[in-house]
Each structure stands twice: as C-alpha cells, then as structure tokens.
Amino acid sequence: MAGKGLVQKVRDTQVWKSIFRHGPPDNARNRAAVVAGNVFLHLHPIKLKKSGVQLGYTWCMGGLTFFIFLALTVTGVLLMFYYRPTAEYAYNDIIALKEHVPLGIMREIHRWGAHAMVITVWLHMFRVFMTGSYKPPREFNWGVGVILLVLTLLLSFTGYLLPWDQLAIWAITVGSNMAKATPFMGHGGPGAMLAQIGDFVMVSDKNDVRFQLLAGRFVGEPALLRFYILHCVFIPCVVGVLIAIHFWRVRKDGGISAPL
Amino acid sequence: MKELINWLAEPIRSFPIFTILFILMLKYYKVIGTKKFGWGALIASIPVVAWFAADPNFIKIILWPDNIPINILIVLVSFFTWLTLYKCAENDNRLEAGEVPVEAMPENREKVWSWPNLVYTELFAIIACTVFLIAWAIIFKAPLEEPANPTWAPNPAKAPWYFLGLQEMLVYFDPWMAGVVLPGLIVVGLIAIPYIDTNPKGNGYYTFSERKMAISSFLFGWLVLWVYLIIVGTFLRGPNWTFYGPFEFWDFHKVEAMYNINLSEYIWIKMLNTPMPGNLVMREIFGIILTIFYVGALPVMIARTNFGQKLIEKSGQIRFYIFIFLALGMTSLPIKMVLRWLIDLKYIIALPEWELNL
Amino acid sequence: MSTETRQQLNRREFLSFLSVGWITFTAACAGLGSMAFRFSYPNVNFEPEMEFLAGKPEDYEEGVDERWKNGFGVWMVKQEGKLVALSNICTHLGCIPSWLPAELKFKCPCHGSGYYPSGINFEGPAPRPLERYAISLTPEGLIKVDKTKIFRHEKGQWELASSFLEV
C-alpha cells in the first residue's frame, strides 16, 4: 500500500481501465493516446503549431461558437419540455417558463446564448479574414463557414417568433415581408407581374415564397408551427452536418492556419 | 454639448464622420496598433462612457435587455479591431526590417502537444463563457411584451438586432434590394472572397501592408456598412423609425418631414418643365440609363484605367469583373445614402407599376 | 468477333444505357424534391373571412373610420362623395400604420411611411399608395367589402366601378 495513493488505486481498477486505455497524460505517449483515443478530443490534432494555440492569434471564437451551439442545444431541448407551439399556449408557456419552473433563467440563457453565438460567429469570421486563413488550401472551408454564419442568423431569427409576443410577431412580419419582395418568386417583387397570363396570376400571395415560409398570407398559427420545426429540427440538423464538414476540413486542410 | 452630439449623430453627419475615422484608422494603424494607444483610449473612454451613461435617455436605450448584445458587440469589436491592428503593426514592422512575422518565428512554428496546451485553453474559455452567460441571464431578464396581436403594430417595430443593418438599408432601398438582393450579394460576395483574392501573401499571419486592398474593403463593409448601421438602427431610430439623438427622449409625436422625390420627377418636371411622359420606360429613361451605366459601362471603364489594368494582370478578367461587380454592389449603398441626403432622392428608377424601384 | 465479346455492351451502348440511367435517376430525385416542395404548400388554411358586411353608408362620417380596422384590417374613408375601403397594410413591408387624426395622415411605425387619408403615399420609403378593397352595396342596402379583390392606384384601378361607393 505504501506509496500507492487513492488516485492510483482508482486508476488500477478494472472499471477505470476499461474506460481509459492509457495512463495519465504526463508523457508523450499518453498525451498522444488521450487525444487520439477519445471520440471528443480527437477533433484535435495530437500536436499543433504553437501559433495555433495562442489566444492572441485565434481569439478562440470558432471554438466558443461551437460550445455555445452545444449549450443552446441542451437548453433548447429543456425548454421544449414546457413549450407548445400553438397560438393558444405559446405565450402562456413562456410565462410559465419564468414563473412555474425551477431555475427560471433557462429561457434567458437560451436567448442570450443565441445572441452571443451571433457575435462569436461574426468575430470568428473577422479573425479568419484578418489572418488570411481563407486562402488556399482553405477556400472551400471558408464557404462552408459563410453558410454556417447565415444558418446561425436564420436559427436565431426563427427562434425569435416562438415567444409569440408583439416583439416576435412584428419582427417576423417585417422580416418575412422581405421574402414577398423576392424578384420573380414573391408576389410583391419585380418580375412577378410578368408571370401573369390574362387574369391568371402565376405568382400570387397564395403560392409565393412567403406563403411557403409562413404557410399562410400573414404570420399566424401555421407560421408559428413551421418556425418551431425549422428552429428545433430542420436548421439544427443542417448546421450539425455542416459543422462536421467544417471541422473535418479544418483538419484535412492542414489545421489552424499558420505561415506557409 | 449634448445638443451637439445629438446633431452630429444623425446619419447624414455621423456616416461621413465614421467613414473619415475609418480611413484615418487604416492610415495611422501603426500608431493605433500600439499598447500605449490602446491603454490611452481605454482610460480616455471611461469618463466619456460615464458621462454618456449619466443621461437618463441614453442609459434607458443602452440597458434595454435586447440591446445588451449590441453593447457587448461594440466593446468586443472595438477591442478586436485594436488587437488586429496591433498584430498587423507588429508584423509589418518586422517585415519592413526584413524579419519574418511573429507567427513564423521558430519558437512559434514549433509543434506542441494538444494535451495540455490546447484542451486547457479551451476548457478555460468554456468556463469563462458559461459564467458570463449565466451572469448575463441572472442580471437581465429576457424581454416579453404583450401577447401577439396581428391588428396592432408596436411603435417602433424592429427586427432582431443583427438584422437592423438591413432594416436601416430599407430607409434607402426598396425591400427587394435591401431585403433580398443586397443580402444575397453579401453572402455570395463573402463566399467568393477566396476565389477573387489571389494575393498569396498574408496567409496565416496578421499583416496589413501586404494585403491593403483586401483588408480595407472587407473592413469597410464589416465596420462601416454593417456594425455602424446596426448601431444606428438600434440606438438612434425611435418611433416611426425617425432619427433620435443618443440623448433625445423618444417622443412619439416628433414629426419629421420626409418628402422624397424620384429622379424622373426631378428631370422631367423641375429641369425640363414638362409633364411626365405616359410611357413608363420613357418616364424612367434617365434612371434606366444611369443604372445600365453603373452596372454595365462603369466596370469596363474601370478596367481601362491603370488600376484596373494592374488588377486584371494580377488576377485575370473574370475575377476582376466579379470583384468590380461586388464592389459596385457594396458602394451602391453609400451612394444612395448620399443622394438621399443631398437631393432628397427617393428612387433612381421608380416603377411601382412593375414593383421595380431602385 | 467471338460470342463472348458480343455479349458485352459496346462502348456506345454502354454510354447511352448509362446516360438513360442517370437521367432517370436525376428526374426521380427532382420529382421527389418537388413533391416535398409542394407538400409545404397547404391546400386549405384557416385565415379570417375575406368578405364582410360593413353597415350602411349613412353610418359613416366624413373622414377616416377605424371601426373595422382591428377585426378586418380595413379603414373606411369617406371623402368627396366617395366611400372607399382602404387596406391597413403598409405597402412597404406590411406593418400596420396608425391613423393620426391630429396630423391627418396614416403613419407606419416600422419605417415611417406616411399616407394621406386618400391612401396616397407622400413620405418615407413606401413605394406606392395603400390598396383599396372591392366595395359594393347588397340588395338590402348594406355595404359589402370584398378583400379578395384589390385595386391599385398606380395601375389606374381606382377609377374602376367597384373600387369606391358613391355616397
């Protein structure tokens, strides 16, 4: 027993050994093993250039964006336990989230986290531009990143409707009416007039892009349900796939950029 | 003094001021990008912020819960803009002296283990971020207004803050431009950046002197046309989307006359003293010619200049024309803003009959 | 040529077989995609009535009347012997303007568009005047407003018969 502390005892148990297949990461071999052998940590390379771990260089904004995305997923799932996306219940459920539920700050964390994610994703782009990290061989990954940025904004935008208060409905009304003005595809946009044969209007308020977005001619209950599905299921799935591509390509394109 | 700031904050004055400051910032980036300047600016800004915050109208807008992210954005963008200028200045001085950038120094090229160097940095960033978010959530309640009422619009009705730059553009452009075409151009333009910018330098390290054009145009779009417009849309636009200075009370009855005139009216009625022609295309012919000139002839003319020739030589015809087209799309916003302020211009082409207003 | 090679596809046959296959595959994908797209357009939706009876012409005073605004989104405007049903949707981005009796104008809270009581836009970013809905008298002498038909000033439709009611 002498010289063998409790920590070492735990490390020697069969249970511990079945989970962690290497010793403490205090030597080169185990440091490699811990990163390569862990499904989460193996997103990282085993070794990387020193400039790539310096906060002054990376600002950590991409990493924080991903972390906030995960935090939003968790808090979002928790909020879904209490929220019903109907015109009758939505508003009351939001109030209940504040007053009838322990830790009444879950909605706050979700909302402020969403705002924070928009900020971090912008700053991430700012940093990547300033270090010229979009240059070959990383052109494609920059494009994936821009699409992720747009999806982040759309995620935040679709979530904005869900509290079903005046702030929500009018922000979405203004936003979705821009879709009405899409050239050729919205009934209030340029070109919609051309698609008119006699009295038959091909692009009208019943079949244009805004109707598809809202499932109606204005922001009503079908729009609430549609935005809920987009917010909770559709866009997060697309974002998840694109994040996987983004991270994969960071590694395959040579890791965090550094002077050639 | 407050009066003066209210007066200066109006976009007609603050936009040129902001643009000039931006140009000065890029010109003297080596002065700004020093620790001395950074500390000086920080210390100097404390009494200014305190004085601003002492005003009840100003503090009310600043502390409105949904505006908190913009305050954070302003602080972070200022800091990171300074940081990037600092890093650029540092590297550019080294490059001038014939040395390699900091990132390329042997000790920084050396490889280190991800565990513990990277994973612990990430862990601390995550902890800091979590603490920050929880503190933010405890201090500020998420806003919840009255239940949705489709028959009554609140005043002002604002989009989420990150779209307020676009909403501010709606003052100058029709929805199909400000809401669809320009955002589309932003996204396409951003994706196109790596394919247009063929400059091989500045890959993986901070530098300004080696990529002046790329950085200036990107920062102009990002700081002046995006962040500035968001600030205006959030803090300086009150009821009826009327302008309110930072210290001004949001008085719902402030009336601001906005009589804007179309280009066609200017030319036919004011200059030629004739009634407007009945034919739509004839009526808007001047605007149409101007627009065709702007998107069609201007790129060709720029291609003929020395600047254009140099660019074409470096990156080729296709890249050049895509770049010029995107750049003209970006500058169309300040052009339209200036025209609105100078001659109250509403539309260059006004064809409401075809929903085509420009 | 041996029977063995004859049984194999030659190059041209193979290519055309392949291209037919790929075209079919692409068409099937496009078909499935468009079905999913069409699925997002409901055939029926439950939005408020588009037609309503708005009382008798004598009920209205000269000027702007707001009694149908909250229920149906319509201002009844009586001016110069004409009664019209004016849409309350701003032509800029679809917000609901407010009627300011003191200044005799409709003012949109979203981007500051202003309209005269007649519906003509005169300030702010609104690209065109407010729309009118079809208005007519039933045999019983009641006013019927039909929101499915709209009349737009810039197209010259305000001269048409059912865009206003002579009173």
Side-chain angles (χ1 to χ4, degrees):
Chain A
M1 283 302 290
K4 215 175 173 193
L6 186 65
V7 174
Q8 193 54 48
K9 257 183 171 169
V10 174
R11 280 184 188 281
D12 285 343
T13 57
Q14 190 190 354
V15 175
W16 181 275
K17 279 181 169 168
S18 72
I19 301 172
F20 301 102
R21 300 216 171 267
H22 48 76
D26 50 10
N27 58 50
R29 186 181 161 275
N30 285 344
R31 281 177 176 171
V34 67
V35 172
N38 183 304
V39 68
F40 304 109
L41 293 180
H42 98 287
L43 287 173
H44 304 120
I46 289 167
K47 280 182 120 180
L48 72 171
K49 282 186 184 141
K50 201 173 169 195
S51 63
V53 297
Q54 285 162 342
L55 271 183
Y57 183 79
T58 65
W59 307 357
C60 204
M61 282 301 162
L64 280 183
T65 307
F66 180 55
F67 168 69
I68 296 175
F69 176 74
L70 296 180
L72 288 173
T73 310
V74 173
T75 53
V77 167
L78 289 173
L79 290 175
M80 282 167 80
F81 287 147
Y82 292 100
Y83 176 81
R84 288 164 287 182
T86 62
E88 191 184 350
Y89 294 122
Y91 184 78
N92 292 330
D93 287 350
I94 296 290
I95 293 179
L97 275 171
K98 194 162 59 184
E99 289 171 2
H100 304 173
V101 172
L103 300 178
I105 59 164
M106 203 55 78
R107 176 168 166 249
E108 274 75 11
I109 297 179
H110 194 74
R111 190 184 183 99
W112 302 143
H115 289 327
M117 184 172 163
V118 172
I119 295 175
T120 52
V121 84
W122 285 356
L123 291 174
H124 176 57
M125 185 178 78
F126 184 22
R127 192 285 290 175
V128 169
F129 184 90
M130 289 312 292
T131 54
S133 307
Y134 58 84
K135 298 190 176 198
R138 298 183 179 81
E139 308 102 304
F140 173 75
N141 216 14
W142 166 269
V144 175
V146 172
I147 295 168
L148 277 169
L149 172 105
V150 175
L151 288 174
T152 305
L153 294 180
L154 286 181
L155 264 177
S156 193
F157 183 67
T158 48
Y160 214 76
L161 182 64
L162 304 185
W164 203 241
D165 63 342
Q166 282 286 70
L167 201 64
I169 185 175
W170 287 102
I172 306 303
T173 300
V174 172
S176 61
N177 273 323
M178 289 186 200
K180 183 175 86 174
T182 314
F184 302 104
M185 279 146 65
H187 74 277
M193 302 262 169
L194 300 175
Q196 190 169 359
I197 306 162
D199 269 352
F200 179 67
V201 187
M202 273 157 74
V203 182
S204 76
D205 61 352
K206 289 202 184 63
N207 60 13
D208 67 345
V209 281
R210 187 184 59 151
F211 190 88
Q212 188 192 18
L213 191 67
L214 300 181
R217 283 172 290 112
F218 47 82
V219 181
E221 193 162 18
L224 178 60
L225 182 60
R226 209 158 265 215
F227 273 53
Y228 177 74
I229 305 290
L230 286 175
H231 183 74
C232 301
V233 184
F234 187 77
I235 305 179
C237 288
V238 178
V239 167
V241 171
L242 285 176
I243 286 178
I245 297 174
H246 200 61
F247 285 4
W248 174 258
R249 287 300 291 250
V250 170
R251 292 288 305 279
K252 292 292 135 182
D253 293 342
I256 290 170
S257 64
L260 298 170
Chain B
M1 186 64 193
K2 286 186 176 178
E3 235 77 308
L4 179 73
I5 291 178
N6 280 342
W7 184 76
L8 284 177
E10 197 159 358
I12 185 169
R13 285 169 280 271
S14 63
F15 181 78
I17 292 173
F18 207 77
T19 311
I20 291 166
L21 284 178
F22 172 76
I23 294 167
L24 288 177
M25 179 185 92
L26 287 187
K27 193 155 169 27
Y28 297 106
Y29 74 103
K30 284 192 180 167
V31 180
I32 294 172
T34 52
K35 284 193 174 148
K36 222 197 232 164
F37 184 93
W39 284 112
L42 182 67
I43 291 163
S45 69
I46 290 169
V48 176
V49 171
W51 180 72
F52 266 71
D55 186 274
N57 292 324
F58 183 76
I59 198 83
K60 204 167 132 199
I61 308 174
I62 291 286
L63 289 186
W64 196 68
D66 253 11
N67 287 349
I68 302 295
I70 306 151
N71 302 328
I72 296 172
L73 178 77
I74 294 172
V75 172
L76 288 179
V77 165
S78 323
F79 170 70
F80 280 118
T81 307
W82 172 81
L83 180 68
T84 176
L85 292 179
Y86 170 76
K87 294 253 166 193
C88 286
E90 191 185 19
N91 276 346
D92 288 348
N93 286 334
R94 294 177 59 91
L95 288 167
E96 266 167 42
E99 297 169 65
V100 291
V102 176
E103 289 86 348
M105 276 156 54
E107 63 262 37
N108 284 330
R109 279 179 171 280
E110 182 194 327
K111 288 220 167 183
V112 294
W113 292 102
S114 284
W115 188 293
N117 299 286
L118 181 57
V119 290
Y120 276 91
T121 314
E122 285 176 344
L123 181 66
F124 288 127
I126 285 173
I127 292 170
C129 180
T130 310
V131 170
F132 180 78
L133 269 184
I134 291 177
W136 187 1
I138 290 173
I139 297 170
F140 292 100
K141 289 280 145 220
L144 187 67
E145 298 191 353
E146 290 154 45
N149 176 0
T151 59
W152 179 80
N155 193 357
K158 289 192 177 185
W161 62 271
Y162 37 83
F163 285 141
L164 284 183
L166 295 179
Q167 201 175 354
E168 181 64 20
M169 283 185 212
L170 284 169
V171 175
Y172 307 98
F173 279 110
D174 234 32
W176 72 276
M177 274 297 284
V180 185
V181 175
L182 288 177
L185 275 182
I186 294 173
V187 174
V188 171
L190 283 174
I191 293 179
I193 285 176
Y195 304 99
I196 301 170
D197 179 9
T198 50
N199 178 3
K201 287 179 181 166
N203 186 348
Y205 55 95
Y206 290 90
T207 174
F208 180 62
S209 60
E210 288 185 341
R211 16 187 323 236
K212 276 196 167 136
M213 246 245 314
I215 290 185
S216 324
S217 34
F218 177 84
L219 284 188
F220 180 72
W222 157 237
L223 293 176
V224 181
L225 294 185
W226 191 251
V227 176
Y228 163 78
L229 283 186
I230 286 178
I231 295 171
V232 171
T234 314
F235 295 138
L236 305 178
R237 294 288 179 181
N240 303 331
W241 207 252
T242 312
F243 167 82
Y244 289 83
F247 303 119
E248 214 170 324
F249 176 67
W250 282 16
D251 175 12
F252 281 66
H253 299 290
K254 177 176 176 178
V255 180
E256 198 175 293
M258 291 192 289
Y259 295 93
N260 301 320
I261 304 168
N262 294 328
L263 183 71
S264 46
E265 282 171 58
Y266 258 112
I267 291 180
W268 290 112
I269 296 176
K270 294 205 169 168
M271 285 171 67
L272 300 176
N273 260 322
T274 47
M276 309 257 266
N279 184 304
L280 298 180
V281 177
M282 264 316 282
R283 190 184 75 198
E284 302 298 335
I285 192 73
F286 299 106
I288 293 172
I289 290 173
L290 269 180
T291 311
I292 291 175
F293 171 79
Y294 188 73
V295 295
L298 204 55
V300 181
M301 283 165 65
I302 297 173
R304 296 259 168 84
T305 60
N306 275 342
F307 165 77
Q309 286 297 331
K310 243 195 272 169
L311 261 184
I312 291 178
E313 213 172 282
K314 254 196 276 177
S315 55
Q317 294 264 356
I318 299 172
R319 286 197 179 89
F320 170 78
Y321 280 109
I322 293 174
F323 169 70
I324 288 296
F325 183 69
L326 291 169
L328 287 179
M330 184 160 98
T331 46
S332 69
L333 177 65
I335 289 175
K336 192 89 196 279
M337 290 164 103
V338 169
L339 286 176
R340 172 68 57 85
W341 297 327
L342 289 183
I343 60 171
D344 291 323
L345 183 82
K346 186 166 187 189
Y347 293 125
I348 294 168
I349 301 177
L351 285 170
E353 295 85 350
W354 296 351
E355 319 268 12
L356 187 72
N357 299 308
L358 201 69
Chain C
M1 220 177 259
S2 71
T3 42
E4 200 178 317
T5 45
R6 289 239 358 126
Q7 276 174 345
Q8 286 177 346
L9 292 166
N10 69 35
R11 194 191 183 99
R12 180 174 294 170
E13 277 168 353
F14 176 72
L15 272 179
S16 69
F17 188 66
L18 197 68
S19 44
V20 168
W22 275 116
I23 289 168
T24 318
F25 178 74
T26 314
C29 287
L32 287 173
S34 53
M35 273 163 68
F37 179 76
R38 181 61 186 83
F39 183 79
S40 67
Y41 285 88
N43 290 331
V44 180
N45 60 28
F46 303 92
E47 294 184 337
E49 292 284 325
M50 294 297 279
E51 272 183 29
F52 65 98
L53 294 173
K56 291 186 177 143
E58 305 88 81
D59 298 348
Y60 295 95
E61 309 262 315
E62 187 82 5
V64 176
D65 187 288
E66 291 208 282
R67 75 181 76 172
W68 306 110
K69 189 200 163 196
N70 286 348
F72 297 97
V74 171
W75 283 301
M76 304 298 280
V77 182
K78 190 166 165 185
Q79 263 187 333
E80 295 158 4
K82 283 179 181 174
L83 182 65
V84 301
L86 210 55
S87 151
N88 79 337
I89 295 171
C90 180
T91 53
H92 183 231
L93 277 179
C95 294
I96 310 287
S98 334
W99 166 239
L100 306 178
E103 290 156 45
L104 280 177
K105 67 178 182 186
F106 301 110
K107 185 76 179 172
C108 182
C110 294
H111 304 89
S113 301
Y115 304 86
Y116 293 124
S118 61
I120 307 282
N121 57 316
F122 68 97
E123 63 176 355
R128 53 195 176 82
L130 294 173
E131 289 161 359
R132 281 186 193 172
Y133 295 127
I135 187 169
S136 58
L137 275 183
T138 60
E140 296 84 45
L142 296 170
I143 300 169
K144 191 175 89 176
V145 176
D146 180 4
K147 287 171 67 181
T148 57
K149 292 199 191 77
I150 55 172
F151 295 89
R152 290 171 50 170
H153 175 259
E154 72 280 5
K155 288 186 175 173
Q157 290 167 335
W158 282 12
E159 310 301 322
L160 299 178
S162 47
S163 74
F164 60 87
L165 212 60
E166 302 264 6
V167 282

